[in-house]
Amino acid sequence: MSLNCLRVVPHSLKKPRFFHLSYLRSSSSSSSSAVIVAMSYTKELAAAKKAASLAAHLCQKVQKALLQSDVQSKNDKSPVTVADYGSQALVSFALQQEFPADFSLVAEEDSEDLRKDGAQETVERITKLVNESITNDGSYNVTLSTEDVLKAIDSGRSEGGSQGRHWVLDPIDGTKGFLRGDQYAIALALLDGGKVVLGVLACPNLPLTSIGAAGQHSPNNEVGCLFFAEVGGGTYMQPLDGSSAVKVQVTAVENPEEASFFESYEAAHSMHDLSSLIAQKLGVKAPPVRIDSQAKYGALSRGDGAIYLRFPHKGYREKIWDHAAGCIVVTEAGGVVTDAAGKPLDFSRGKYLDLDTGIIVTNQKLMPLLFSAVRESIKEKAASL
Ligand SMILES: Nc1ncnc2c1ncn2[C@@H]1O[C@H](COP(=O)(O)OS(=O)(=O)O)[C@@H](OP(=O)(O)O)[C@H]1O
Ligand SMILES: [Mg+2]
Ligand SMILES: [Mg+2]
Ligand SMILES: [Mg+2]
């Protein structure tokens, strides 16, 4: 595989462990001295990579054989497929096997529609897919019943928050892209005390080499990337087939004229007119790269593009599972993720992100210029309405 677009550092040469530092006040002392507790998430990261990879294989299989009956519509009219449910059941099952005592999951899907009359066939199909994945993997000697699968899906009903540990899962991010045969991601993160401490993004259709400019795809079009990051430990990418990982970094581009930007494929998800105004102010020359899902964060983390702009239409509330994994993948690769007011995203407030207007992502050098262009453009747009 050619990785000439990346700054390559073999994962095996990674520096000794980085730690997430928590400060605990000593209860036996009234002084303000703090005890530093070194936290590492090695076991959690390994479990997350495994769970996301298992789910990615299930999704690949379903995408290959997409049948009309595999798609349902949720109450909010967004699509959901047997792959979304199967992926959620599988990730939930795999994580519970590793962490049976302390398990909390905030995930996108629930079993409500699957428990309605007429859904039995769909539930059986999901159960078959999940059991096939478990059997192929070989690490778990169990067969799940339909009720086990529904329960596994429903264990994603946690509300998250600022206390304790919570897994955050989007079983398929970019379901519309998945249905089109385009980009999607299995996005899994862990919150500890309200902060994202690790993230994994499995992107089964993302080329292993840059998607930044036309014609730079790997010659044999190899696809399937797994991005992973742990707080303080950098971001790595490896092929989904399990070959070795390389360290990735966001682009070092400082001149906005040389920057390219990503945005949602779906115009309903982000105001493309506002992004183009911002790009124009910055002097960005390249046209937007529109791709589905958190694959945008993955691509940005390895420098395929320099900027990600996301401005949902008025009234939409962003969910934590649409950004938690992507956010740490980019920040650990040296990038910056903020809302349109320049504030870091706050994952500690439950299912929703409480944001000002939108989300902007770029490298440290470009952020001040991008931020000014965003503020000016928002003002201009508001004045023109
Ligand atoms: N109205 C609206 N505004 C903003 N965002 C929305 C909206 N509706 C949905 N969603 C969420 O967008 C998720 C898909 O991510 P993207 O917007 O990056 O992908 S896409 O390019 O538009 O397909 C998508 O994630 P999935 O549902 O997991 O596919 C949604 O959570
Ligand atoms: Mg959805
Ligand atoms: Mg999503
Ligand atoms: Mg989803």
Side-chain angles (χ1 to χ4, degrees), residues 162-328:
S162 61
Q163 307 287 315
R165 289 186 180 192
H166 306 279
W167 292 97
V168 179
L169 171 69
D170 195 332
I172 292 187
D173 182 40
T175 307
K176 288 187 176 167
F178 176 80
L179 293 170
R180 260 188 267 109
D182 287 343
Q183 295 303 327
Y184 65 99
I186 292 91
L188 178 60
L190 179 65
L191 298 184
D192 195 351
K195 303 268 184 242
V196 185
V197 294
L198 70 82
V200 173
L201 279 182
C203 305
N205 285 343
L206 192 67
L208 290 171
T209 52
S210 177
I211 57 160
Q216 280 190 17
H217 291 195
S218 38
N220 45 4
N221 273 337
E222 281 176 285
V223 295
C225 303
L226 184 70
F227 297 89
F228 58 94
E230 183 183 340
V231 65
T235 298
Y236 291 80
M237 185 195 84
Q238 70 187 119
L240 260 177
D241 69 13
S243 348
S244 55
V246 293
K247 190 164 192 181
V248 294
Q249 291 220 280
V250 295
T251 179
V253 161
E254 292 179 32
N255 179 355
E257 288 189 15
E258 293 163 23
S260 64
F261 76 96
F262 292 127
E263 65 181 347
S264 294
Y265 182 94
E266 301 283 340
H269 292 180
S270 189
M271 292 185 272
H272 289 169
D273 59 340
L274 184 54
S275 310
S276 65
L277 186 58
I278 295 163
Q280 202 185 322
K281 278 195 193 302
L282 276 171
V284 169
K285 295 218 164 95
V289 179
R290 291 182 177 146
I291 60 166
D292 305 272
S293 85
Q294 287 172 69
K296 291 186 272 299
Y297 283 106
L300 215 80
S301 77
R302 64 180 189 189
D304 290 11
I307 297 167
Y308 170 18
L309 299 173
R310 183 179 184 87
F311 295 99
H313 296 269
K314 212 169 166 30
Y316 182 76
R317 292 178 79 190
E318 292 279 10
K319 325 291 188 312
I320 57 172
W321 53 73
D322 281 320
H323 300 283
C327 185
I328 191 167

Side-chain angles (χ1 to χ4, degrees), residues 47-65 81-92 94 129-130 133-134 136-137 169-173 178 182-188 200-206 223-227 238-242:
K49 285 172 65 184
K50 173 161 187 184
S53 304
L54 274 175
H57 290 123
L58 182 152
C59 295
Q60 280 171 311
K61 190 168 162 182
V62 177
Q63 199 183 42
K64 267 191 201 147
T81 68
V82 292
D84 297 65
Y85 290 123
S87 168
Q88 183 157 322
L90 202 47
V91 171
S92 168
L129 278 166
V130 171
S133 302
I134 291 172
N136 287 345
D137 176 65
L169 171 69
D170 195 332
I172 292 187
D173 182 40
F178 176 80
D182 287 343
Q183 295 303 327
Y184 65 99
I186 292 91
L188 178 60
V200 173
L201 279 182
C203 305
N205 285 343
L206 192 67
V223 295
C225 303
L226 184 70
F227 297 89
Q238 70 187 119
L240 260 177
D241 69 13

Side-chain angles (χ1 to χ4, degrees), residues 251-256 278 281-282 306-307 309 334-343 360-377:
T251 179
V253 161
E254 292 179 32
N255 179 355
I278 295 163
K281 278 195 193 302
L282 276 171
I307 297 167
L309 299 173
V336 190
V337 181
T338 73
D339 70 6
K343 285 208 221 112
I360 58 178
V361 186
T362 189
N363 64 17
Q364 317 252 359
K365 290 274 169 53
L366 281 170
M367 189 47 108
L369 281 175
L370 175 61
F371 182 66
S372 306
V374 165
R375 295 317 306 170
E376 272 178 44
S377 304

